[in-house]
Amino acid sequence: MTKFPNILRPWNELNKQEQLNLRLAYQEELDSQPKTCSMDEKMQRFIAWLKERGVSFSQADLY
């Protein structure tokens, strides 16, 4: 059994409410992580967290 879903939903296909709900839920995760100023580290953490929830995210989704 794998930890991650086989098919990931792209971030840009989520509606605005789904995106907001995930960002709010991620805030709790952020509060428990070591602080970093590295944008690359922040992105990798968010990508990994979303992947566990069946969502794909890339730098292109920032724009």
Side-chain angles (χ1 to χ4, degrees):
M1 178 180 227
T2 62
K3 183 176 180 179
F4 304 112
N6 290 331
I7 299 174
L8 299 177
R9 291 179 63 199
W11 177 262
N12 64 1
E13 290 183 7
L14 301 177
N15 66 44
K16 296 296 182 191
Q17 188 62 52
E18 290 172 308
Q19 290 179 2
L20 176 61
N21 290 344
L22 284 167
R23 289 194 309 266
L24 291 172
Y26 186 62
Q27 184 60 49
E28 292 180 34
E29 178 70 18
L30 278 178
D31 292 342
S32 70
Q33 292 179 358
K35 305 296 183 222
T36 181
C37 292
S38 168
M39 182 56 88
D40 289 336
E41 180 67 25
K42 290 176 183 183
M43 284 283 300
Q44 291 308 311
R45 290 176 184 181
F46 189 52
I47 289 168
W49 185 86
L50 285 173
K51 187 175 183 180
E52 291 177 359
R53 285 146 187 84
V55 176
S56 65
F57 186 89
S58 72
Q59 191 165 3
D61 292 312
L62 293 175
Y63 307 105

